[in-house]
Amino acid sequence: MGARRNERRGEDRVTTGATRRRAAMLALAAALLGSVAAAPAGAAETAPGMRCATPGGYDDLPRGSAAAAGFDAARLTHAVRQAADSVGGSVVVYRYGCKVAEAYSGGTSMASYQSWSAAKSIVATAAGRAMELGLLSPGDTVGSLVPEADRAHGAITVQQLLEQNSGLHQHLIRDFNFIVDDHVANALTLPFDHEPGTHFTYGQVTVALLAKVVGRAAGTDFQDFLRRELLAPLDIPARELRWSRDIAGNTNGYFGIEMPARFWGRLGQLWLQHGVWNGRRLLDADWMAGVARSSSTNPCYSYLSWVDAPGCAPPWAPPDGFYMSGLGDQIVWVVPSEQLVVVRFGPMTAGVTDALREGVTRSIRLPRPVPTRGPEKQHDGSATTELFTGVVPTATSPGILNVEDLLAVTQVARHARPNPGPTRARAPQVPTRTLRAGRDGNVAVPVACPAVAQLACSGVVRITGTGDATTLSSARFRLGRGEQGTVTLGSGPLDAAIGARGATLVVRATGEDGIEGATTTRVVDVAPVPRDRRAERRRAARRERAAQRRRVAARKRAAAERRR
């Protein structure tokens, strides 16, 4: 009651000039003190952004004062309640790992709503977990894990599925056929409208194909992997995430999750904390960087998620936000610069989340108001424009009345799956982010061949700079399925790059299988050649003795001058 009473007094107080500045400083101090008070004994070990206690089971993130978290509490409350009351649903706002505002239609915080395309981001997050475990690489190909694929479909990479630029044909009705469809078979029989990696298309069944790839890499059902590797570490009760399947038993990757808002908030907090939970890294660091930045073919899209990049967001939006988004205003919005997570799930509507995000952003007072973005050239890369690709006939799409696609939807004329393509190797794994040069200056790079592989892994390991693809050193490797080994790299250019202080470099391990091959790319920190501590101590002792002799000589000269 005391905290709420203080919060109301903070809402009613009107300040100007120096009084406002003093109030701002006091509020900031309150936020810091409040975060310390709310934190558990082990708070120093929690991930960046988590200042309140880590939740468990059905508990939500701990409640915190909106005013102490730097908000205009009255304005924040208005924005949240308006979003929930206008059409219904669940709305929750978190800052610094604390729940600072919430509103629910019907009075229940445990209502579940259809996720629609927000489910895509969970498939991507599961891929990020598989990458952290060394089970998957962005360079892995579909054919290396789904050998039923023909040569062309088998050459599509995980990266291309994550970025929605596989090049596969999209037909609105066929792509959204979630009643009588085998999504994986559908994806593997889609024709190519574009060269893979060159064009963004907001596909649906391609996401179900990615879920299949993740499950195959883990050697288990996709949802079992999700429960074990993401829900369990986050302490999300498995029964609270329900995900529908197609007629063949494949997870409906592009939609189909029903889950209370508080657990979406926990996933958003995981993103905010750079993939770390309770001091444990769950999501690959390179994957986290990828989900927060623009993809290669759509500046507004990342890894099955959306970003507030230049030209992709309104002037009031912080430039580093990224979010899960589903049809009808389902959203989990993450803003690292503001340590903010905003969640809204509910009945389908339009415009609610934009008003909600703006209201929350404009409610922020401390540590400083969010600055307005300057003029930006707007990009036409939204889900709306891509969603209806195929409705109108174009040079590359025959339109919604395409008889072949319509027959495929009704299963009257299912496309026969092409013959399986050639056997493909998996992308080799580099299971570390820290390396150290030996006394000889060479760097030993660990390499592993995934156990779930059709072929042995053989190829080349290269090391380059982060901004320059020039090879500093390279060497060949060969490993059987499930084997691990090391590749030693060394050269004059590599020595120079590492220098005396170490360097951040890029390791590329490319597997060769006589087809396209597959590459793992990993950013690593390389420590310099270890120094000889005994030699250093001897040199330091010699320097100290020399300095002592100079001091003695100086004292003798001073004494001689005084005697004169």
Side-chain angles (χ1 to χ4, degrees), residues 323-392:
Y323 53 99
M324 313 176 193
S325 178
L327 186 67
D329 276 358
Q330 324 303 327
I331 195 169
V332 179
W333 187 40
V334 178
V335 187
S337 63
E338 299 298 334
Q339 290 294 294
L340 180 68
V341 177
V342 177
V343 179
R344 188 273 170 183
F345 283 84
M348 292 181 64
T349 182
V352 166
T353 56
D354 282 345
L356 171 66
R357 292 199 299 153
E358 181 176 5
V360 171
T361 302
R362 295 191 186 280
S363 300
I364 296 173
R365 297 185 300 111
L366 292 172
R368 63 187 182 282
V370 177
T372 300
R373 299 155 68 122
E376 297 173 347
K377 180 182 178 181
Q378 296 300 302
H379 296 292
D380 186 16
S382 67
T384 303
T385 56
E386 289 291 343
L387 187 61
F388 295 100
T389 300
V391 175
V392 179

Side-chain angles (χ1 to χ4, degrees), residues 224-236:
D224 289 343
F225 174 77
L226 182 75
R227 292 188 189 96
R228 183 182 73 240
E229 295 297 337
L230 275 178
L231 302 191
L234 295 176
D235 206 13
I236 297 176

Side-chain angles (χ1 to χ4, degrees), residues 435-438 440-445 460-464 471-476 486-491 494-495 498 506-508:
L435 300 171
R436 177 178 289 278
D440 57 1
N442 293 337
V443 178
V445 179
V460 178
V461 175
R462 295 179 176 84
I463 194 164
T464 70
T471 299
L472 300 173
S473 181
S474 65
R476 296 194 62 81
T486 57
V487 176
T488 301
L489 302 177
S491 68
L494 179 57
D495 293 344
I498 298 171
V506 177
V507 174
R508 289 184 172 85

Side-chain angles (χ1 to χ4, degrees), residues 447-460:
V447 183
C449 185
V452 184
Q454 303 174 57
L455 298 171
C457 296
S458 61
V460 178

Side-chain angles (χ1 to χ4, degrees), residues 233-279:
L234 295 176
D235 206 13
I236 297 176
R239 70 177 71 90
E240 293 300 337
L241 188 153
R242 299 176 296 280
W243 203 334
S244 59
R245 298 175 184 265
D246 67 14
I247 61 170
N250 303 304
T251 297
N252 287 323
Y254 61 96
F255 83 103
I257 293 178
E258 294 184 14
M259 181 170 63
R262 64 178 54 179
F263 302 124
W264 286 102
R266 213 173 288 186
L267 288 161
Q269 187 68 27
L270 174 65
W271 277 18
L272 181 65
Q273 295 172 187
H274 314 293
V276 175
W277 193 265
N278 271 344

Side-chain angles (χ1 to χ4, degrees), residues 77-379:
T77 299
H78 173 73
V80 169
R81 286 179 177 168
Q82 187 176 47
D85 294 344
S86 58
V87 293
S90 301
V91 181
V92 195
V93 177
Y94 306 91
R95 199 176 193 201
Y96 304 121
C98 308
K99 180 173 61 179
V100 294
E102 59 185 328
Y104 310 96
S105 63
T108 174
S109 63
M110 292 299 289
S112 296
Y113 298 92
Q114 170 59 246
S115 65
W116 298 110
S117 285
K120 293 182 174 76
S121 299
I122 305 305
V123 174
T125 303
R129 177 59 182 156
M131 290 175 194
E132 174 61 21
L133 292 171
L135 301 173
L136 194 66
S137 165
D140 268 316
T141 58
V142 168
S144 68
L145 287 158
V146 186
E148 305 96 293
D150 64 1
R151 185 186 186 104
H153 291 80
I156 296 170
T157 66
V158 169
Q159 180 88 15
Q160 290 161 356
L161 292 176
L162 284 168
E163 293 187 348
Q164 293 270 33
N165 54 29
S166 66
L168 291 175
H169 170 68
Q170 183 188 29
H171 178 269
L172 181 64
I173 296 179
R174 177 174 175 181
D175 211 24
F176 278 94
N177 180 15
F178 51 80
I179 299 175
V180 291
D181 192 30
D182 176 340
H183 299 324
V184 173
N186 190 350
L188 293 179
T189 55
L190 288 172
F192 285 84
D193 288 340
H194 305 279
E195 184 71 21
T198 65
H199 183 86
F200 173 80
T201 300
Y202 193 64
Q204 311 303 320
V205 296
T206 51
V207 183
L209 177 59
L210 177 59
K212 175 65 73 173
V213 166
V214 172
R216 289 282 179 89
T220 187
D221 177 75
F222 171 79
Q223 292 192 33
D224 289 343
F225 174 77
L226 182 75
R227 292 188 189 96
R228 183 182 73 240
E229 295 297 337
L230 275 178
L231 302 191
L234 295 176
D235 206 13
I236 297 176
R239 70 177 71 90
E240 293 300 337
L241 188 153
R242 299 176 296 280
W243 203 334
S244 59
R245 298 175 184 265
D246 67 14
I247 61 170
N250 303 304
T251 297
N252 287 323
Y254 61 96
F255 83 103
I257 293 178
E258 294 184 14
M259 181 170 63
R262 64 178 54 179
F263 302 124
W264 286 102
R266 213 173 288 186
L267 288 161
Q269 187 68 27
L270 174 65
W271 277 18
L272 181 65
Q273 295 172 187
H274 314 293
V276 175
W277 193 265
N278 271 344
R280 176 188 176 193
R281 173 160 290 286
L282 296 181
L283 304 177
D284 179 75
D286 287 343
W287 181 91
M288 278 304 315
V291 82
R293 66 169 179 252
S294 300
S295 71
S296 60
T297 49
N298 186 341
C300 304
Y301 203 70
S302 60
Y303 284 170
L304 299 180
S305 305
W306 299 89
V307 293
D308 291 325
C312 302
W316 47 259
D320 62 329
F322 53 105
Y323 53 99
M324 313 176 193
S325 178
L327 186 67
D329 276 358
Q330 324 303 327
I331 195 169
V332 179
W333 187 40
V334 178
V335 187
S337 63
E338 299 298 334
Q339 290 294 294
L340 180 68
V341 177
V342 177
V343 179
R344 188 273 170 183
F345 283 84
M348 292 181 64
T349 182
V352 166
T353 56
D354 282 345
L356 171 66
R357 292 199 299 153
E358 181 176 5
V360 171
T361 302
R362 295 191 186 280
S363 300
I364 296 173
R365 297 185 300 111
L366 292 172
R368 63 187 182 282
V370 177
T372 300
R373 299 155 68 122
E376 297 173 347
K377 180 182 178 181
Q378 296 300 302
H379 296 292

